[in-house]
Amino acid sequence: MNLEHSTPELFTALAKMQGEVENATKGSLNPHFKSKYADLAEVLNTVRPVLAANGLSVIQSPSFDGAICHVTTTIAHSGGGYIYGTMSCVPAKMDGQGVGASTTYLRRYSLAAVCGVAQEDDDGQSAAHNRPAVYPLISSGEAARIRENIEALAIDEPAFLKHYGVTAVAQLTTDKIASIDKAFAIKSKASAKGGEA
């Protein structure tokens, strides 16, 4: 939380607001856990009137950099002071639905946190990810270099591809490069020793 632009008036208003606001009512159903939670609309309905009554407003700015969702939540005071903080997460799916679910989750979670509102976090499964990070495909230059090494070292290409779980060299991802280069180095040393014998 960045407090650089905060003012005593803002903190006075926040303290008053948090003394008046109630916890969000759990009204939405999470189908994964068959339990209820307070959704974003409920959190907004709970905090907005109390924020406004104390000269406070909320601004939430979402962004997505292609891998991580971010939401910056700003609480501004009518007197000019403001505080803000950013929360981030990797979406469960890299599509519009996954990014939307993560953004909504981050908005709800950060808004409730900054306003001091308790809420049960039963719906986090829709925004959380439980699979490995998605890595980009290797470049065409890397693919050409790997093919050259496969040929130069007389490596069984179908077995190589099967080992890395792909059907073509171009389908390899960047996280595999270090392992592939290590395997090439070992094969190269073995070939060199074989040639010396």
Side-chain angles (χ1 to χ4, degrees):
M1 180 64 65
N2 187 303
L3 307 176
E4 184 181 349
H5 302 283
S6 62
T7 61
E9 294 80 13
L10 181 145
F11 285 123
T12 299
L14 270 176
K16 193 173 176 207
M17 181 274 298
Q18 289 183 354
E20 296 169 2
V21 75
E22 295 180 2
N23 288 327
T25 305
K26 293 183 282 184
S28 294
L29 180 67
N30 181 331
H32 298 289
F33 296 111
K34 294 185 170 51
S35 55
K36 290 192 171 185
Y37 68 97
D39 63 9
L40 176 60
E42 185 59 36
V43 174
L44 284 166
N45 288 339
T46 300
V47 302
R48 261 194 314 215
V50 188
L51 284 167
N54 288 282
L56 299 166
S57 62
V58 62
I59 303 163
Q60 293 192 291
S61 307
S63 62
F64 179 59
D65 63 11
I68 300 174
C69 290
H70 310 274
V71 169
T72 299
T73 298
T74 304
I75 299 293
H77 186 250
S78 57
Y82 63 94
I83 58 174
Y84 66 92
T86 300
M87 291 186 68
S88 307
C89 75
V90 176
K93 294 188 294 182
M94 291 295 176
D95 61 10
Q97 186 177 8
V99 171
S102 293
T103 299
T104 299
Y105 179 78
L106 290 170
R107 286 187 63 200
R108 179 174 65 83
Y109 195 90
S110 58
L111 180 60
V114 77
C115 291
V117 173
Q119 45 156 359
E120 195 161 324
D121 182 23
D122 291 339
D123 71 322
Q125 183 173 343
S126 66
H129 64 94
N130 54 7
R131 62 181 182 179
V134 177
Y135 293 92
L137 294 175
I138 61 173
S139 67
S140 56
E142 282 288 356
R145 182 182 68 82
I146 289 169
R147 284 192 205 93
E148 287 170 10
N149 276 291
I150 289 171
E151 188 176 332
L153 297 169
I155 293 172
D156 180 349
E157 187 169 344
F160 172 90
L161 296 173
K162 185 176 179 183
H163 176 77
Y164 288 101
V166 295
T167 57
V169 171
Q171 293 174 346
L172 291 165
T173 50
T174 56
D175 60 310
K176 304 289 193 301
I177 295 292
S179 171
I180 290 169
D181 285 344
K182 185 176 178 182
F184 285 160
I186 292 168
K187 177 74 172 171
S188 182
K189 281 184 183 178
S191 298
K193 282 186 180 179
E196 292 171 4

